[in-house]
């Protein structure tokens, strides 16, 4: 439509120069044509024709003056040179995309009146087609645009419904997966640890009852309970191993697992190790790895960063994991209370993991200056 407008404007200028060479109004026609072209080019810059009705982001008070200038310049051109009348066709769609439906239809009607008057002025004799064709074209263009806009709105509504349904389905699947995993763990615990503890309790109670009267039988009960306790401990370790992150399988250390993490193709992740690595409890390794994965996911989805740095520091009495990015950052405190503001579910989950291990989680971020997340977990002294 933009191309059609400039073609019609250029054709109108050429027609006027060919039909009316050397007229005194020629400089005015050329100046007004250049002004109209420049005003039309400024349309997308002020958001006048950049979005369909209901989705425009530019305030109305900025769109309407621009359209008013364009229409006023065109009207002056039509009065001076009626051959510029057919530039109104692209202006029909500009009005329909810029104004509310009723105002747009009214403006289209006004433009059509000027088109009809200009065509009648150019004709040497009365022609009914000149009186009927412009309104018919305007009505057809308006009807087609309104129909397409309604279809587009219906399609957008359908897409929004599909996206919402997909999110709800994903949330439902996650909940069902969580419930299924809880059920599996509950059955595992019931069939192994709970049964072992129940057997131990019965054997120890029987040993207590027969300790004075039949010491040998009592000691046999105790030995049996000891064996059951050993099997229960093995089952507990197996459950813990099954719940551990797969990145830590096969003896892989925390440093190696962190070094292998990535945040997607558009973000460069760098890993640094400081200090002498010390053995960490499985819970601490798992928690730090999950925190790093969650932080990188937040960086990928929300920060717009290009680089991220993971630093694992062993400081003797504690281990510290720092995750820094060069993204957009955010405000970490609420203006009213000054309290730390956790966005979404990721940060509260990280705080819960660190708190369970007696550690602390700190976040430093400023809008436009990136974010630094630091998780510190104390280490028990060896020996």
């Amino acid at each position: 439509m933009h191309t059609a407008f400039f073609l019609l404007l250029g054709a109108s200028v050429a027609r006027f120069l060919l039909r009316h060479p050397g007229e005194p109004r020629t400089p005015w026609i050329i100046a007004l044509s250049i002004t109209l072209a420049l005003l039309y080019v400024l349309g997308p810059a002020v958001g006048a024709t950049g979005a369909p009705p209901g989705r425009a982001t530019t305030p109305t008070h900025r769109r309407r003056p621009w359209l008013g200038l364009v229409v006023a310049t065109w009207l002056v051109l039509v009065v001076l040179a009626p051959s510029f009348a057919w530039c109104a066709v692209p202006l029909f769609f500009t009005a329909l995309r810029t104004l509310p439906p009723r105002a747009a239809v009214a403006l289209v009607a006004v433009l059509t009146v000027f088109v009809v008057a200009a065509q009648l002025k150019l004709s040497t004799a009365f022609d009914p087609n000149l009186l009927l064709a412009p309104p018919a074209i305007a009505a057809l263009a308006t009807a087609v645009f309104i129909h397409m806009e309604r279809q587009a709105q219906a399609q957008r509504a359908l897409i929004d419904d599909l996206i919402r349904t997909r999110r709800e389905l994903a949330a439902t699947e996650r909940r069902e997966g969580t419930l299924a995993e809880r059920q599996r763990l509950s059955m595992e615990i019931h069939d192994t640890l709970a049964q072992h503890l129940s057997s131990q309790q019965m054997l120890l109670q029987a040993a207590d009852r027969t300790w004075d009267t039949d010491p040998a039988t009592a000691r046999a009960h105790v030995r049996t309970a000891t064996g059951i306790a050993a099997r229960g401990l093995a089952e507990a370790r197996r459950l813990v191993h099954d719940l551990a992150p797969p990145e830590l399988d096969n003896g892989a250390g925390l440093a190696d697992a962190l070094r292998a993490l990535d945040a997607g193709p558009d973000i460069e992740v760098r890993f640094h190790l400081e200090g002498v690595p010390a053995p960490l409890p499985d819970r601490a390794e798992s928690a730090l790895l999950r925190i790093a994965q969650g932080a990188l996911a937040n960086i990928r989805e929300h920060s717009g960063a290009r680089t991220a740095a993971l630093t694992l520091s062993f400081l003797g009495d504690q281990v510290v994991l720092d995750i820094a990015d060069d993204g957009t950052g955010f405000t970490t405190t609420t203006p009213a209370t000054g309290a730390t503001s956790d966005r979404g579910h990721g940060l509260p989950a990280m705080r819960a993991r660190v708190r369970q291990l007696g550690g602390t989680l700190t976040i430093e971020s400023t809008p436009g200056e990136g974010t630094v997340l630091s998780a510190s977990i104390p280490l028990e002294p060896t020996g």
Side-chain angles (χ1 to χ4, degrees), residues 5 27 30 43 72 80 134 170 178 212 220 230 243 268 272 308 318-319 323 325 345 380:
F5 173 81
I30 295 176
L80 295 176
T178 301
D212 294 329
L243 294 176
E268 179 184 4
H272 305 279
Q318 62 179 346
V319 59
I323 303 103
D325 69 77
H345 302 286
E380 297 181 0

Side-chain angles (χ1 to χ4, degrees), residues 47-288:
T49 60
R55 296 231 171 167
T57 58
T58 306
T60 303
H61 70 272
R62 290 180 58 187
R63 300 196 302 271
R64 291 181 177 177
W66 169 85
L67 182 59
L69 288 174
V70 172
V71 172
T73 305
W74 175 81
L75 291 177
V76 175
L77 269 173
V78 172
V79 172
L80 295 176
S83 58
F84 284 85
W86 287 110
C87 292
V89 176
L91 295 181
F92 290 165
F93 291 95
T94 303
L96 290 168
R97 289 178 61 86
T98 304
L99 298 176
R102 291 185 179 180
V105 170
L107 181 56
V108 169
V110 173
L111 297 179
T112 304
V113 170
F114 274 82
V115 171
V116 171
Q119 295 303 308
L120 293 176
K121 184 177 180 181
L122 288 174
S123 65
T124 56
F126 177 76
D127 186 351
N129 287 333
L130 299 179
L131 187 63
L132 300 177
I137 294 174
L140 178 62
T142 303
V144 169
F145 182 88
I146 293 176
H147 177 70
M148 292 177 62
E149 181 59 27
R150 289 176 178 174
Q151 285 187 330
Q153 290 178 354
Q155 187 177 20
R156 286 194 294 267
L158 177 60
I159 292 174
D160 292 340
D161 289 340
L162 290 176
I163 293 176
R164 182 170 59 254
T165 302
R166 185 174 63 182
R167 291 175 178 172
E168 292 175 355
L169 180 60
T172 301
E173 291 178 348
R174 285 194 296 270
R175 288 194 297 268
E176 291 179 352
T178 301
L179 293 176
E181 182 64 12
R182 287 180 178 177
Q183 184 177 9
R184 185 187 71 83
L185 288 175
S186 66
M187 291 188 298
E188 288 276 352
I189 293 173
H190 175 269
D191 295 340
T192 56
L193 299 181
Q195 295 294 337
H196 291 159
L197 290 173
S198 177
S199 299
Q200 292 175 50
Q201 183 183 25
M202 295 175 58
L203 288 169
L204 292 175
Q205 289 174 348
D208 181 64
R209 289 194 300 269
T210 60
W211 192 266
D212 294 329
T213 58
D214 192 354
T217 302
R219 291 189 182 92
H221 289 331
V222 171
R223 287 193 295 271
T224 304
T226 302
I228 294 175
R231 292 194 297 272
L233 180 60
E235 289 289 344
R237 287 174 175 170
R238 183 185 64 81
L239 289 175
V240 171
H241 180 270
D242 290 343
L243 294 176
E247 293 85 351
L248 299 175
D249 286 346
N250 302 322
L254 178 61
D256 294 333
L258 293 175
R259 188 177 288 108
L261 293 179
D262 69 274
D266 298 328
I267 302 176
E268 179 184 4
V269 180
R270 303 168 183 169
F271 174 74
H272 305 279
L273 178 64
E274 296 182 1
V276 179
L280 298 176
D282 292 341
R283 290 183 61 197
E285 287 189 341
S286 177
L288 291 176

Side-chain angles (χ1 to χ4, degrees), residues 353-379:
R353 289 181 185 276
V354 174
R355 193 181 302 116
Q356 291 174 355
L357 297 172
T360 57
L361 182 75
T362 58
I363 302 171
E364 297 177 4
S365 182
T366 302
E369 298 182 7
T371 303
V372 177
L373 183 147
S374 180
S376 175
I377 296 177
L379 297 178

